[in-house]
């Protein structure tokens, strides 16, 4: 049984930028007693077009930083980093760590009715084939079609969530998935829940959208329970419940974060991540 003090340590959450805030937001909703230390690698975003080696090196630096914050578990809130770096990270640290890919893949394999699942994500995530391989471990019969949507991340980061330009790009990207007749679509990038409405509108009511951010928070709760690491009570008033760090452009991050998370992000601190 872990000591109370250990259970009260925060959860580390990291992403290439702001997308992982959708995961942090779900953790805040699903496990409200937990404290969070969030790191967004805003200086080196996007990850989706970089190599496995580079993403692994970036992820290792971030994990080292999070460990200086005494976190009790880590969530890799980035699909590309989950696809490329999670296996390596699992071997290197001795605290629970989860990515966002497995929880989403699992749900998609369970909910599809016609066995046709679509995945949208960055070039890195789609190129890795990671969603297909996880889904096929659960059900080899499922036909998985991936579609890279590189323009979605910049559109989301510019705040164009409900904008004609986003509608136009989305319908171009999604047409081939509609033509194949998928009945389940995984939002395989943590930025995408912010344009969920647009994607849903284009795909239509017959397609179930799977949000890995939500599924990851649910899985994290189960993992903490299993390791007896759930925080027993809410943080004390005035205690710094949620802390945010970035590698660049803290003010821009803070504005964006406040538009997603309604818990009042007071500040985001810039740290020299290359030094870790």
């Amino acid at each position: 049984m872990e000591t109370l003090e250990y259970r009260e340590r925060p959860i580390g959450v990291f992403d290439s930028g702001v997308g992982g805030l959708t995961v942090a937001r779900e953790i805040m909703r699903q496990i409200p007693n937990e404290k969070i230390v969030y790191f967004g690698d805003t200086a080196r975003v996007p990850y989706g077009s970089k190599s496995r080696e580079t993403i692994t090196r970036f992820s290792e630096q971030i994990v080292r930083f999070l460990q200086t914050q005494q976190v009790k578990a880590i969530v890799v809130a980035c699909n590309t980093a989950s696809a490329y770096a999670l296996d390596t990270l699992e071997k290197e640290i001795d605290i629970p760590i989860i990515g966002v890919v497995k929880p989403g893949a699992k749900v998609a394999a369970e909910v599809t009715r016609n066995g046709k699942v679509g995945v949208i994500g960055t070039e890195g995530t789609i190129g890795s084939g990671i969603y297909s391989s996880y889904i096929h471990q659960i059900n080899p019969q499922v036909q998985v079609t991936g579609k890279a949507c590189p323009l979605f991340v910049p559109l989301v980061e510019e705040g164009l969530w409900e904008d004609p330009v986003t509608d136009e790009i989305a319908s171009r990207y999604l047409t081939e998935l509609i033509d194949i007749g998928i009945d389940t679509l995984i939002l395989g990038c943590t930025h995408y829940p912010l344009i969920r409405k647009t994607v849903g509108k284009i795909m239509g009511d017959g397609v179930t959208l799977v949000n890995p951010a939500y599924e990851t928070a649910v899985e994290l709760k189960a993992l903490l329970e299993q390791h007896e690491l759930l925080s027993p009570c809410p943080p004390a008033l005035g205690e710094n419940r949620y802390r945010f760090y970035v590698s660049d452009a803290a003010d821009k991050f803070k504005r964006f974060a406040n538009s997603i998370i309604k818990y009042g992000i007071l500040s985001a601190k810039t740290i020299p991540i290359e030094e870790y």
Side-chain angles (χ1 to χ4, degrees):
M1 183 69 183
E2 296 292 350
T3 62
L4 188 62
E5 179 261 305
Y6 194 90
R7 284 189 291 165
E8 287 170 356
R9 287 183 180 192
I11 291 159
V13 178
F14 80 87
D15 178 51
S16 59
V18 297
L21 289 165
T22 59
V23 180
R25 178 175 68 177
E26 291 296 346
I27 295 169
M28 292 168 184
R29 287 175 180 162
Q30 309 294 327
I31 340 175
N33 283 356
E34 299 298 337
K35 291 184 282 201
I36 294 172
V37 175
Y38 182 95
F39 179 80
D41 199 358
T42 45
R44 304 185 293 195
V45 69
Y47 279 13
S49 50
K50 294 182 172 69
S51 69
R52 177 184 294 269
E53 292 68 36
T54 298
I55 289 164
T56 302
R57 180 167 58 83
F58 288 176
S59 300
E60 287 172 324
Q61 289 173 333
I62 296 166
V63 165
R64 284 196 283 272
F65 163 69
L66 289 173
Q67 288 186 298
T68 68
Q69 304 298 303
Q70 302 214 298
V71 296
K72 63 182 176 182
I74 291 176
V75 179
V76 184
C78 168
N79 283 266
T80 310
S82 297
Y84 283 160
L86 186 60
D87 287 354
T88 305
L89 297 173
E90 281 175 337
K91 296 184 189 96
E92 292 175 350
I93 63 171
D94 56 0
I95 56 174
I97 180 167
I98 64 167
V100 286
V101 174
K102 270 186 191 164
K106 190 167 141 240
V107 171
E110 285 162 5
V111 301
T112 180
R113 302 174 306 283
N114 70 1
K116 292 180 181 177
V117 172
V119 185
I120 50 175
T122 64
E123 287 161 29
T125 302
I126 300 304
S128 74
I130 185 124
Y131 272 102
S132 302
S133 83
Y134 280 147
I135 289 170
H136 288 144
Q137 283 170 27
I138 301 164
N139 182 350
Q141 305 304 311
V142 174
Q143 179 190 331
V144 183
T145 308
K147 174 73 183 162
C149 303
L151 290 172
F152 279 169
V153 169
L155 287 169
V156 166
E157 298 213 344
E158 288 305 320
L160 301 171
W161 306 349
E162 295 186 34
D163 189 277
V165 72
T166 307
D167 293 349
E168 169 62 26
I169 299 288
S171 49
R172 286 193 191 191
Y173 280 152
L174 298 170
T175 305
E176 66 179 78
L177 295 175
I178 294 169
D179 292 346
I180 293 165
I182 63 165
D183 73 352
T184 304
L185 179 64
I186 299 172
L187 305 177
C189 169
T190 49
H191 283 73
Y192 297 177
L194 298 169
I195 51 168
R196 183 186 181 135
K197 216 185 222 169
T198 302
V199 173
K201 196 166 63 187
I202 292 164
M203 296 310 296
D205 293 340
V207 176
T208 305
L209 300 186
V210 175
N211 175 4
Y214 171 79
E215 306 305 341
T216 301
V218 171
E219 186 127 327
L220 174 66
K221 186 178 184 181
L223 187 71
L224 293 174
E225 277 170 350
Q226 183 194 329
H227 288 274
E228 299 190 354
L229 286 175
L230 272 179
S231 177
C233 46
L237 268 176
E239 194 177 351
N240 209 345
R241 177 182 282 202
Y242 304 132
R243 293 186 312 220
F244 297 87
Y245 297 90
V246 291
S247 46
D248 193 25
D251 285 343
K252 187 180 178 193
F253 173 87
K254 200 171 83 179
R255 281 196 302 277
F256 191 92
N258 277 314
S259 67
I260 298 178
I261 293 171
K262 304 296 183 226
Y263 295 94
I265 290 166
L266 304 172
S267 68
K269 244 165 112 175
T270 307
I271 56 152
I273 194 65
E274 295 280 1
E275 289 173 15
Y276 285 87

